Amino acid sequence: VKAQDIHFSQITASPLNINPALTGLFKSDMRFIANYRNQWAAVTTPYVTSSASADLNIRPNKLRKDFIGTGMLVNVDKAGEASFTTLQLMPSISYCKALNNNKVLLSYGIQVGIIQQRFNPDNLTFDRQYNGDVFDAGASTGEAFTGTSSLSLDAATGFNLFVQPNDKFYINNGISISHVNKPTFSFTNGNLSELQRRFTIHGGAYIRLAKKIELLPGYIVMFQGGSSEYNIGSFMKISSGNYKTQYKDLAFYGGIFYRLKNYDALILN
């Protein structure tokens, strides 16, 4: 069986899943994010994906305008009748270097944690349990599982470049590699399953069209094994207050993104 990592349609809503270099890369002090997706409800057991992250930026005086980002990412994905579950616990850290009077920010990040895969065979049926006439739940399955849970080390790394020449425009681009060490799993003797590396290229921009109207285009491209995905689109932000009062501004975001390769998904945000 071949498949891809978890991914969310709203590409800006899970930055630590995209690139560890985005850890702590925001203007506030702390950030908490939660995502939930329930997919394919028409099948007997829908696929459920949950993700949560928390990160913050630390600015020691000796670093001047540079800062360190630290955080934690937790992913839980449950699929199919066997409740095939993937659990990821990924501590994240980044270092951001400020250049050109803080108009350029170059950040590097890493994540090193664990990834576990497990399943429940009790809900599965096998061909040997059919005797030709009826299904016999007590018959031997013929399967020899060495265990129903497998744990492995997981690592990711990435770079991000943020350039803001003035307060009306910025551009942001990054690249990351997930599963750098290609984690392996096994539920039977001598039968290893290898998790392929995922390469992600992403970016976006900020364009202030008027005092209270801003355009935020973005894109993300992902490659993993023989799978690939291309998303492109844009948000529009309409603010109710003064754009300079960051902590008192109330804003509305809306946007449209499109999955390009198979021309099969219009994403409303």
Side-chain angles (χ1 to χ4, degrees):
V1 176
K2 295 183 178 180
Q4 310 112 32
D5 277 356
I6 64 170
H7 49 163
F8 295 100
S9 298
Q10 298 196 35
I11 63 174
T12 61
S14 188
L16 269 62
N17 267 311
I18 294 174
N19 190 340
L22 298 176
T23 305
L25 194 62
F26 51 91
K27 292 182 178 180
S28 303
D29 298 318
M30 304 178 73
R31 174 172 63 180
F32 300 92
I33 294 175
N35 290 277
Y36 176 85
R37 186 175 73 175
N38 187 304
Q39 188 176 15
W40 297 335
V43 301
T44 52
T45 304
Y47 286 36
V48 177
T49 306
S50 303
S51 178
S53 66
D55 59 328
L56 58 103
N57 54 60
I58 306 168
R59 301 177 184 268
N61 292 332
K62 62 182 180 180
L63 292 179
R64 297 182 182 179
K65 294 182 180 180
D66 300 352
F67 63 87
I68 296 170
T70 183
M72 171 65 79
L73 171 67
V74 180
N75 291 321
V76 181
D77 183 62
K78 186 177 289 187
E81 290 289 331
S83 297
F84 187 84
T85 302
T86 301
L87 169 67
Q88 275 184 298
L89 299 175
M90 301 293 287
S92 185
I93 189 168
S94 68
Y95 181 84
C96 185
K97 179 67 177 176
L99 305 168
N100 193 21
N101 198 25
N102 230 29
K103 292 182 178 180
V104 177
L105 299 176
L106 178 62
S107 61
Y108 170 71
I110 57 173
Q111 291 172 336
V112 179
I114 60 170
I115 182 168
Q116 179 198 50
Q117 291 187 340
R118 66 181 187 270
F119 72 103
N120 180 8
D122 295 340
N123 294 331
L124 297 178
T125 60
F126 299 87
D127 56 351
R128 290 193 182 187
Q129 294 175 292
Y130 291 87
N131 62 18
D133 295 313
V134 295
F135 171 71
D136 182 2
S140 172
T141 65
E143 302 292 333
F145 297 117
T146 56
T148 59
S149 177
S150 187
L151 186 70
S152 185
L153 183 73
D154 194 14
T157 186
F159 288 92
N160 190 82
L161 179 65
F162 175 93
V163 180
Q164 185 173 14
N166 55 62
D167 63 354
K168 295 182 179 181
F169 175 79
Y170 72 67
I171 190 167
N172 183 72
N173 286 283
I175 184 169
S176 67
I177 306 173
S178 302
H179 315 308
V180 174
N181 57 318
K182 289 189 174 181
T184 56
F185 305 91
S186 179
F187 303 108
T188 58
N189 283 324
N191 194 356
L192 287 176
S193 175
E194 187 177 71
L195 191 57
Q196 295 295 312
R197 295 187 182 104
R198 186 181 85 237
F199 298 88
T200 302
I201 304 169
H202 62 92
Y206 163 91
I207 306 166
R208 183 148 55 85
L209 303 177
K211 187 175 181 179
K212 298 181 181 181
I213 301 176
E214 299 151 20
L215 194 67
L216 296 96
Y219 73 91
I220 186 169
V221 180
M222 294 183 285
F223 305 94
Q224 186 177 24
S227 303
S228 61
E229 182 175 338
Y230 306 81
N231 288 306
I232 190 170
S234 183
F235 286 97
M236 178 169 283
K237 174 185 174 183
I238 301 175
S239 302
S240 62
N242 190 324
Y243 67 91
K244 291 183 179 179
T245 56
Q246 174 192 344
Y247 298 104
K248 298 180 180 179
D249 193 16
L250 181 67
F252 172 79
Y253 288 83
I256 298 176
F257 281 75
Y258 191 59
R259 186 161 62 194
L260 294 173
K261 185 178 179 183
N262 297 313
Y263 308 102
D264 65 344
L266 187 68
I267 305 162
L268 302 179
N269 297 272

